C-alpha cells in the first residue's frame, strides 16, 4: 500500500465483487457498470468512532436490487466479514489489508476497520519511493496552459495580482504533480487604450522633468512610479531629451511598456513565480490573427452586422445576449482580441486551457466560452477560474493606502513586510472563489500563532532532531521496512501515519478540483499531528527499535511537509 487511495481502491473492488455475487444470487445477473461506479466509492468517516473507512454502496445500488438499503448493507457486510482473517471470500484483499470489523450503521452505511499494517506499509513506501509515490498519474503527459496575473503593463503588481500569482502558480505545480505538462503564460495587454495612456503619461512626466510645456492626459497614470520610469529612460536614453515631443511619444510607446513589464517581471520573480511564455497582444494584430479569427467566425455563421457594428452570435451557445466584436466606427473591442488569443492557445496544441480572472470578469465567462464553441472547440477544454479580492488588515484596521505609490499596496511592499512564504500561505488558505483577508500582524508574527510559522517549524523541528541524533552518534536510518515501524501503535503515532497516508489523495483532489487551499489545510493538519506526537514522546528513545521507528516516522513527515509546501511555492526551512 502506497497511500489511502490504494486502500480505498482495494476496498472498493471488494465491495463491488461482493455486490456482484449478491446480484447473481438474487437472479439479477451482473451488476451493471453504472451501478458499479456508484458502489465503488469509499470514504473516511469524519468521526473515527464510525471506523477507518465507510461504504454507502447499499444506498447507491438500492435501485438495482429493489431492496431496502439496510438489507443490502447487512448482506454486503456479511460478505465483507468473510474477508477478515484469512482473506477469503469473493474478492480477497491484499495481505496488508485485514478487516478487523465490519458494521452496518444508519440507513445502510457499512463501516470498516482495518488493522494498522497498511499504515506501516504507506510510511515505508514514502521513505523508499518518495512522498509522491502514491499520487496517480492522471494527466499522462497531456498539455495544459494556465494563464494568470496578465495585469496591464501600466503599473506595479498589486496585492490582487499577487494573489492571482500565488493561486496560478500553485495550480500549475499541482497539475504537474499529477502528470500534466503545464505551460505558465502571461498575456501582455500592450495594444490597447491603457498602454497608449501609459506611454502618454510617461511622456508628460518626461516633459515636466525637462521643463517643457506639457498636458497630463485625462485618465492618465499619476503614480510616482511613472515619474521614476521617465527619469530612468532619460538617464539611459539621453537622446529622448533632444527630440520633438511627437517623436518622443512614438519612441515611448514601446519603451515605457517594456520598462514597466520589466518591473512586473522582477516583482513576480521575487515572489517565486516564473512564466514560460510572455505573450504580446500586439503580435496578434501584427500577424493579422484577429481579422483571420473574425473571418472564420463569419464563415461559420456566427458573425453578423447590425446597427453598423459586427456582432458575435454568442446566444447560440448560452450567452444572455450577442456581443459586439467590431464597433460601428471600425474599432475592435477587447473581446475580438481575446477571441483571437484563445484561438491561438488551442492552435498551439494545448489539451486544456485554464484562465484565472478577477471578479470584474465574471460576466465575461459566458461570451468567451461561446466564442470558443463557435470556433469548434469543445467547451470542456476551456476552464475559467474567477479569483476573488484581497483585503489587508493591520492592527484590526483595513489597510487602504500604499506607503509610496498613493493608490494601492504593491506586491513589492507586501514582500518587504511579510515575505513571500507568508504572503503565499495567506493568499492560498481560502478557495479562489472566496475573498481572502491577510492579517499583516499575524503574518509577521514569529510564533506558533502564525499558521505558516507553525507549519514550517514542524519541518525545522524534525531537522533539529536529526542534527541531535547525528551528534549523539545515532545510526542513520537507511532503508526502513514496514515491520520495523511496528512499534508505532500509540494514538498520536497513528494520527501522524493516517495524515501521511492521506497525502496522495489530497494532491489528486487539489489538482483536479483546482483547490490549492486543500494543501494549505493538509500541511497544517499534518504539522499539528506531528507537534502533538513530538510533545508526547521522545523521538530519541533509549530503546533502539522504538527510536528507529519514531525517527522514521519523523523523516516521512519531513519529506511530505517539504513536498507539500513546495506545491504551494513555500520554503521548508531547516532552522527557525
Amino acid at each position: 500500500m502506497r497511500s489511502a487511495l490504494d486502500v480505498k481502491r482495494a476496498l472498493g473492488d471488494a465491495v463491488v465483487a461482493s455486490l456482484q455475487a449478491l446480484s447473481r444470487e438474487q437472479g439479477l445477473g451482473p451488476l451493471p457498470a453504472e451501478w458499479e461506479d456508484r458502489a465503488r466509492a469509499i470514504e473516511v468517516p469524519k468521526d473515527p468512532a464510525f471506523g477507518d473507512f465507510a461504504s454507502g454502496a447499499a444506498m447507491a445500488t438500492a435501485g438495482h436490487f429493489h431492496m431496502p438499503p439496510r438489507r443490502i448493507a447487512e448482506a454486503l457486510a456479511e460478505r465483507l466479514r468473510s474477508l477478515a482473517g484469512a482473506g477469503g471470500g469473493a474478492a480477497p484483499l491484499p495481505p496488508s489489508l485485514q478487516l478487523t470489523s465490519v458494521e452496518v450503521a444508519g440507513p445502510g452505511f457499512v463501516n470498516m476497520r482495518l488493522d494498522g499494517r497498511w499504515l506501516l506499509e504507506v510510511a515505508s513506501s514514502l521513505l523508499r519511493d518518495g512522498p509522491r509515490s502514491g499520487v496517480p498519474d492522471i494527466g499522462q503527459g497531456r498539455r495544459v496552459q494556465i494563464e494568470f496575473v496578465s495585469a496591464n503593463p501600466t503599473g506595479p503588481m498589486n496585492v490582487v495580482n499577487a494573489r492571482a500569482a500565488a493561486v496560478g502558480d500553485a495550480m500549475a505545480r499541482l497539475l504537474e504533480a499529477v502528470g500534466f505538462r503545464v505551460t505558465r503564460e502571461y498575456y501582455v495587454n500592450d495594444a490597447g487604450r491603457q498602454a497608449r495612456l501609459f506611454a502618454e503619461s510617461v511622456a508628460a512626466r518626461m516633459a515636466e522633468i525637462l521643463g517643457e510645456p506639457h498636458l497630463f492626459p485625462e485618465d492618465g497614470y499619476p503614480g510616482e512610479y511613472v515619474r521614476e520610469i521617465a527619469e530612468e529612460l532619460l538617464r539611459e536614453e539621453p537622446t529622448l531629451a533632444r527630440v520633438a515631443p511627437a517623436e518622443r511619444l512614438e519612441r515611448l510607446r514601446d519603451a515605457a511598456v517594456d520598462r514597466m513589464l520589466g518591473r512586473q517581471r522582477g516583482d513576480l520573480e521575487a515572489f517565486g513565480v516564473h512564466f514560460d511564455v510572455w505573450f504580446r497582444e500586439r503580435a496578434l494584430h501584427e500577424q493579422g490573427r484577429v481579422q483571420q479569427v473574425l473571418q472564420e467566425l463569419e464563415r461559420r455563421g456566427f458573425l453578423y452586422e447590425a446597427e453598423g457594428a459586427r456582432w458575435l452570435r454568442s446566444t447560440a451557445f448560452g450567452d444572455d445576449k450577442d456581443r459586439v466584436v467590431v464597433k460601428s466606427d471600425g474599432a475592435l473591442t477587447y473581446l475580438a482580441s481575446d477571441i483571437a488569443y484563445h484561438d491561438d492557445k488551442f492552435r498551439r496544441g494545448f489539451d486544456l486551457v485554464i484562465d484565472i480572472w478577477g471578479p470584474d470578469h465574471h460576466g465575461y465567462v459566458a461570451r468567451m466560452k461561446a466564442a470558443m464553441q463557435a470556433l469548434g472547440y469543445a467547451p470542456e477544454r476551456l476552464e475559467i477560474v474567477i479569483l476573488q479580492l484581497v483585503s489587508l488588515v493591520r492592527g484590526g484596521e483595513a489597510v487602504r493606502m500604499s506607503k509610496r505609490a498613493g493608490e494601492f499596496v504593491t506586491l513589492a511592499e507586501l514582500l518587504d513586510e511579510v515575505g513571500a512564504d507568508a504572503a503565499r500561505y495567506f493568499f492560498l488558505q481560502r478557495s479562489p472563489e472566496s475573498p481572502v483577508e491577510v492579517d499583516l500582524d499575524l503574518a509577521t508574527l514569529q510564533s506558533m500563532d502564525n499558521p505558516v510559522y507553525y507549519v514550517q517549524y514542524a519541518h525545522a523541528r524534525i531537522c533539529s532532531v536529526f542534527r541531535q541524533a547525528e551528534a549523539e552518534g545515532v545510526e542513520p536510518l537507511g532503508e526502513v521496512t514496514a515491520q520495523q515501524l511496528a512499534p508505532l501503535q500509540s494514538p498520536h503515532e497513528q494520527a501522524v501515519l493516517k495524515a501521511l497516508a492521506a497525502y496522495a489523495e489530497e494532491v489528486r483532489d487539489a489538482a483536479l478540483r483546482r483547490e490549492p487551499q486543500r494543501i494549505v489545510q493538509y500541511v497544517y493538519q499534518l504539522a499539528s499531528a506531528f507537534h502533538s506526537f513530538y510533545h508526547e514522546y521522545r523521538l530519541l528513545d533509549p530503546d533502539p527499535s522504538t527510536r528507529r521507528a519514531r525517527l522514521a516516522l519523523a523523516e516521512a513527515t519531513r519529506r511530505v511537509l517539504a513536498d507539500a509546501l513546495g506545491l504551494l511555492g513555500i520554503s521548508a526551512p531547516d532552522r527557525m
Side-chain angles (χ1 to χ4, degrees):
M1 294 291 111
R2 298 175 303 162
S3 71
L5 269 176
D6 293 331
V7 176
K8 287 183 174 183
R9 195 174 297 116
L11 291 175
D13 288 344
V15 166
V16 167
S18 298
L19 289 174
Q20 285 283 13
L22 179 63
S23 182
R24 289 186 174 90
E25 285 180 6
Q26 296 292 318
L28 299 173
L31 188 70
E34 62 268 23
W35 297 101
E36 274 197 12
D37 292 339
R38 299 177 194 176
R40 202 176 297 278
I42 302 292
E43 302 296 333
V44 175
K46 292 182 179 179
D47 186 346
F50 292 113
D52 299 319
F53 296 94
S55 168
M59 292 172 287
T61 58
H64 169 76
F65 286 102
H66 303 292
M67 294 166 56
R70 181 87 187 192
R71 281 183 56 196
I72 301 170
E74 294 286 2
L76 172 59
E78 188 60 36
R79 289 187 172 276
L80 291 174
R81 289 187 192 107
S82 72
L83 304 182
L93 291 167
S96 61
L97 290 187
Q98 291 299 313
L99 288 163
T100 58
S101 71
V102 183
E103 300 172 352
V104 177
F109 290 104
V110 176
N111 297 331
M112 297 166 275
R113 295 185 187 277
L114 301 169
D115 74 9
R117 279 179 291 174
W118 73 274
L119 284 169
L120 306 182
E121 272 198 9
V122 168
S124 176
S125 173
L126 287 172
L127 290 167
R128 183 181 63 251
D129 303 322
R132 296 188 197 171
S133 60
V135 176
D137 181 12
I138 297 168
Q140 298 183 333
R142 284 177 291 169
R143 297 183 63 203
V144 176
Q145 187 239 42
I146 180 164
E147 182 223 326
F148 56 107
V149 184
S150 297
N152 281 327
T154 56
M157 292 281 117
N158 59 40
V159 292
V160 177
N161 303 143
R163 188 187 186 197
V167 170
D169 188 54
M171 283 188 184
R173 291 168 185 251
L174 285 163
L175 288 166
E176 288 171 336
V178 296
F180 290 94
R181 288 187 294 150
V182 180
T183 295
R184 297 161 174 81
E185 186 153 316
Y186 190 114
Y187 182 54
V188 182
N189 298 274
D190 61 350
R193 177 175 178 270
Q194 299 303 319
R196 185 181 72 251
L197 275 175
F198 181 63
E200 292 172 356
S201 301
V202 173
R205 290 293 180 238
M206 194 172 285
E208 183 181 26
I209 294 166
L210 294 170
E212 299 174 352
H214 63 280
L215 181 64
F216 199 80
E218 187 178 355
D219 298 329
Y221 294 88
E224 181 62 24
Y225 66 89
V226 177
R227 173 179 287 275
E228 290 175 0
I229 287 177
E231 291 171 344
E232 289 172 9
L233 290 172
L234 278 172
R235 282 196 304 269
E236 295 174 19
E237 299 184 44
T239 57
L240 286 169
R242 299 192 293 271
V243 300
E247 181 182 346
R248 182 187 300 152
L249 177 59
E250 191 59 33
R251 290 171 61 178
L252 287 175
R253 289 193 190 280
D254 292 338
V257 165
D258 290 346
R259 181 55 55 98
M260 193 68 252
L261 200 61
R263 287 188 171 201
Q264 291 181 344
R265 191 191 300 252
D267 287 345
L268 291 167
E269 293 280 344
F271 198 34
V273 178
H274 312 282
F275 286 91
D276 304 300
V277 176
W278 293 74
F279 191 100
R280 308 293 287 250
E281 178 188 0
R282 188 174 55 194
L284 293 170
H285 296 276
E286 292 173 348
Q287 297 167 10
R289 290 290 301 127
V290 181
Q291 291 300 330
Q292 291 170 18
V293 165
L294 295 180
Q295 290 169 8
E296 177 63 15
L297 287 169
E298 188 169 25
R299 187 188 70 79
R300 289 171 170 266
F302 296 113
L303 212 63
Y304 66 92
E305 293 193 13
E307 302 173 11
R310 301 178 76 190
W311 297 71
L312 171 69
R313 203 182 304 276
S314 53
T315 51
F317 301 97
D319 197 6
D320 60 347
K321 61 180 180 180
D322 292 341
R323 306 292 175 172
V324 175
V325 290
V326 182
K327 300 176 184 177
S328 57
D329 62 0
L332 295 169
T333 64
Y334 287 118
L335 179 60
S337 297
D338 288 342
I339 293 171
Y341 175 46
H342 283 76
D343 177 63
D344 184 85
K345 293 182 182 190
F346 288 116
R347 287 179 180 273
R348 281 183 269 157
F350 294 110
D351 300 293
L352 173 66
V353 166
I354 301 174
D355 292 344
I356 299 180
W357 291 350
D360 55 333
H361 285 70
H362 196 280
Y364 212 71
V365 174
R367 69 192 74 172
M368 184 53 61
K369 283 184 167 289
M372 292 304 99
Q373 290 182 70
L375 288 169
Y377 300 114
E380 63 272 14
R381 292 180 63 192
L382 174 62
E383 186 175 323
I384 298 171
V385 177
I386 296 296
L387 185 69
Q388 292 298 327
L389 296 176
V390 176
S391 59
L392 304 180
V393 174
R394 185 188 291 111
E397 298 290 333
V399 177
R400 300 186 182 278
M401 300 297 288
S402 165
K403 294 177 297 185
R404 185 164 169 273
E407 300 113 353
F408 45 76
V409 176
T410 67
L411 170 57
E413 289 169 353
L414 184 68
L415 295 183
D416 285 343
E417 183 161 352
V418 307
D421 286 344
R424 278 187 179 248
Y425 189 98
F426 279 83
F427 285 147
L428 294 169
Q429 65 182 338
R430 300 280 181 269
S431 164
E433 291 81 10
S434 300
V436 67
E437 180 181 275
V438 179
D439 185 330
L440 297 174
D441 297 322
L442 181 60
T444 55
L445 200 62
Q446 297 293 300
S447 80
M448 301 289 263
D449 292 327
N450 180 351
V452 66
Y453 183 95
Y454 182 82
V455 172
Q456 289 179 314
Y457 189 65
H459 184 271
R461 171 172 268 172
I462 295 169
C463 293
S464 175
V465 167
F466 277 92
R467 285 193 295 271
Q468 182 183 349
E470 184 179 9
E472 294 180 8
V474 174
E475 182 181 352
L477 277 178
E479 185 175 346
V480 180
T481 65
Q483 186 176 1
Q484 290 171 319
L485 298 173
L488 303 175
Q489 297 299 325
S490 74
H492 290 89
E493 291 162 333
Q494 291 284 302
V496 178
L497 286 168
K498 288 180 180 179
L500 293 173
Y503 183 53
E505 187 170 11
E506 290 295 339
V507 172
R508 182 200 66 178
D509 290 350
L512 293 185
R513 298 175 184 176
R514 319 293 186 246
E515 294 180 347
Q517 77 274 8
R518 296 181 70 95
I519 304 300
V520 176
Q521 295 158 6
Y522 173 80
V523 292
Y524 191 88
Q525 291 163 2
L526 176 58
S528 179
F530 177 80
H531 286 311
S532 296
F533 158 61
Y534 178 88
H535 287 302
E536 287 292 326
Y537 303 101
R538 290 181 61 187
L539 271 67
L540 298 180
D541 194 272
D543 177 65
S545 61
T546 301
R547 180 175 64 239
R548 181 176 177 81
R550 288 177 179 166
L551 285 175
L553 180 62
E555 175 60 11
T557 302
R558 186 197 67 77
R559 293 186 188 185
V560 171
L561 279 173
D563 192 72
L565 287 169
L567 291 175
L568 301 172
I570 297 172
S571 68
D574 295 341
R575 290 178 169 84
M576 292 183 72

